[in-house]
Amino acid sequence: MTAPFTLRDKTGEAGVGAGVWNLGPGGDPFGGPTREAIPILDRLPMIAEAGMSFYEAHDSEIPAEDADKAIKRAEECGLRCAMYTPSFFADPKFKDGAMTSNDSAIRKAGLENAKRAVDTTVKLGAKTMVFWNGREGFDFVLAKNGQDSFKRLVEGFNAVAQYARENHGDAVRFALEPKPNEPRANMYLANVGEVLYLISRLDAEAQPLFGANPETAHSRIAGLDYLWDVELCLEAGKLFHIHLNAQDGQRFDQDLPFGYTEPLKDLALLVVLQDAKYDGIVCFDVKAPRTDDPKNIADILTTSGQNLIWLWERALQVDRARIAALREENRATAIAGYLAECLYGR
Ligand code: XUL
Ligand code: MN
């Protein structure tokens, strides 16, 4: 049992969260599961025991009808729900997307799912509902009309916002999570810039309800710098949520433990979050590797949590005045050296 990880002196929520899907059975596109699947609600105490204060779930994992049971199990182990999200990617009917499907009946089904997910988000006590772009995209050019797809996303999100406002006031906000590819070859809302542009095209009343959920690995898969992606969200006042993990270059989505591949950049990211007084919840989106034995399945959470705390503590010690002075002197390399000194010690 790991004591809850706490981000010292953090503005707002100081506990950390993880998704129930992070503790999966270890399947990949080339081979079936290597572990028996743990029933979803049984994962809640495991997440709590790994030091998390929050859990996250898709509607395919905790459907509306299981919400009462989930609330009870979460209360028993002291977990709160950080975010809930409709799965627009698992059901075969959404094989070509939900909001951007060419079939109006599928788009309607997607909207119904989204509305139900809004109700469940509120019921579970989460303040944020995430839309990951999942299957909203294309594998073949001209299979969809891109301009129509964009308009459909705008229409869909406007309708979700209207439903949320009419039924739940300002209880829930929406965070769009960009990813460039996987499962689709090309995904709409591929990066933070596309997300912010889409938000700018929503109805005026909907815009304040929508923000971003950047994920460090997703930026990396696109070959982009996640620090800048987060800074851009902050500049826009749209950092509603964040998914932390690590990624070893531009390849398939690895969901490695936070702090594993680029600790120096992670340190800088935490400096930025601290200085911005980010008050949302910090969550991991990691994946227990298929090589880990069942008894060690939560190592992915404890390793991420430990790395986060170490880096967070180091980030608190970073001398901001020194960085400012080095910037003033145009000494970018010396800033890199100073960050390394903060990371590795002398
Ligand atoms: C997939 C991913 C999702 C979202 C929630 O890469 O990050 O798990 O976070 O649907
Ligand atoms: Mn994610």
Side-chain angles (χ1 to χ4, degrees):
M1 169 100 189
T2 307
F5 293 110
T6 304
L7 299 169
R8 188 165 64 86
D9 289 344
K10 181 178 175 300
T11 310
E13 298 287 0
V16 179
V20 292
W21 65 93
N22 293 185
L23 304 181
D28 73 16
F30 303 94
T34 56
R35 296 177 291 258
E36 208 169 309
I38 302 164
I40 295 294
L41 296 186
D42 291 347
R43 298 182 197 182
L44 297 179
M46 297 173 71
I47 288 173
E49 280 166 26
M52 302 298 124
S53 304
F54 297 93
Y55 73 95
E56 304 188 326
H58 296 89
D59 59 359
S60 48
E61 294 150 345
I62 302 183
E65 55 274 21
D66 287 355
D68 287 318
K69 276 187 274 174
I71 291 167
K72 186 166 176 291
R73 290 297 292 273
E75 263 172 22
E76 280 164 11
C77 59
L79 278 185
R80 286 154 64 201
C81 186
M83 72 84 161
Y84 186 71
T85 175
S87 155
F88 281 174
F89 50 92
D91 192 318
K93 74 168 173 276
F94 296 134
K95 64 184 178 191
D96 199 16
M99 297 258 191
T100 64
S101 168
N102 284 331
D103 182 338
S104 62
I106 300 292
R107 296 202 297 277
K108 201 160 165 253
L111 185 58
E112 288 315 309
N113 275 25
K115 289 177 181 173
R116 204 174 325 120
V118 171
D119 298 337
T120 312
T121 303
V122 174
K123 185 164 182 185
L124 292 173
K127 295 189 172 63
T128 306
M129 183 166 120
V130 163
F131 282 103
W132 170 52
N133 51 354
R135 297 202 187 266
E136 309 296 1
F138 59 97
D139 305 304
F140 293 96
V141 288
L142 300 187
K144 285 175 173 170
N145 175 315
Q147 294 180 61
D148 285 349
S149 293
F150 189 87
K151 287 192 194 93
R152 288 168 182 166
L153 285 170
V154 169
E155 273 167 25
F157 291 137
N158 277 336
V160 173
Q162 192 184 345
Y163 177 84
R165 270 199 326 272
E166 284 173 7
N167 292 278
H168 302 287
D170 58 2
V172 61
R173 296 199 304 181
F174 303 96
L176 307 181
E177 180 175 339
K179 189 177 180 184
N181 54 268
E182 201 194 286
R184 305 310 297 267
N186 304 280
M187 277 144 81
Y188 300 130
L189 306 179
N191 54 56
V192 159
E194 287 188 30
V195 162
L196 295 177
Y197 174 63
L198 182 126
I199 294 171
S200 80
R201 298 287 302 274
L202 296 178
D203 290 344
E205 317 82 69
Q207 286 187 28
L209 291 185
F210 276 79
N213 176 32
E215 174 169 322
T216 47
H218 293 178
S219 299
R220 274 304 189 218
I221 294 169
L224 296 171
D225 186 295
Y226 51 82
L227 194 46
W228 163 233
D229 275 351
V230 169
E231 286 177 305
L232 186 60
C233 291
L234 287 167
E235 201 287 328
K238 292 296 186 185
L239 188 66
F240 281 15
H241 200 71
I242 192 164
H243 272 175
L244 297 184
N245 50 11
Q247 173 73 19
D248 202 2
Q250 283 176 274
R251 60 179 81 194
F252 63 92
D253 190 5
Q254 294 174 289
D255 292 328
L256 294 166
F258 177 70
Y260 174 60
T261 52
E262 298 182 275
L264 192 134
K265 198 180 283 290
D266 294 335
L267 175 68
L269 172 67
L270 299 182
V271 168
V272 165
L273 290 179
Q274 288 171 359
D275 291 354
K277 304 200 181 319
Y278 170 67
D279 62 359
I281 305 167
V282 172
C283 284
F284 299 126
D285 191 353
V286 289
K287 184 165 65 191
R290 78 196 295 272
T291 44
D292 273 358
D293 293 336
K295 66 179 188 322
N296 303 321
I297 190 172
D299 282 358
I300 190 87
L301 301 185
T302 48
T303 300
S304 297
Q306 188 62 78
N307 288 348
L308 173 63
I309 296 299
W310 281 333
L311 288 165
W312 181 268
E313 287 293 323
R314 279 169 196 252
L316 287 172
Q317 303 307 317
V318 168
D319 183 351
R320 273 62 170 177
R322 186 150 164 201
I323 292 184
L326 289 170
R327 258 186 207 169
E328 197 66 30
E329 294 171 35
N330 192 30
R331 295 187 61 195
T333 312
I335 293 176
Y338 174 57
L339 279 178
E341 183 186 315
C342 296
L343 180 64
Y344 300 121
R346 283 168 217 248

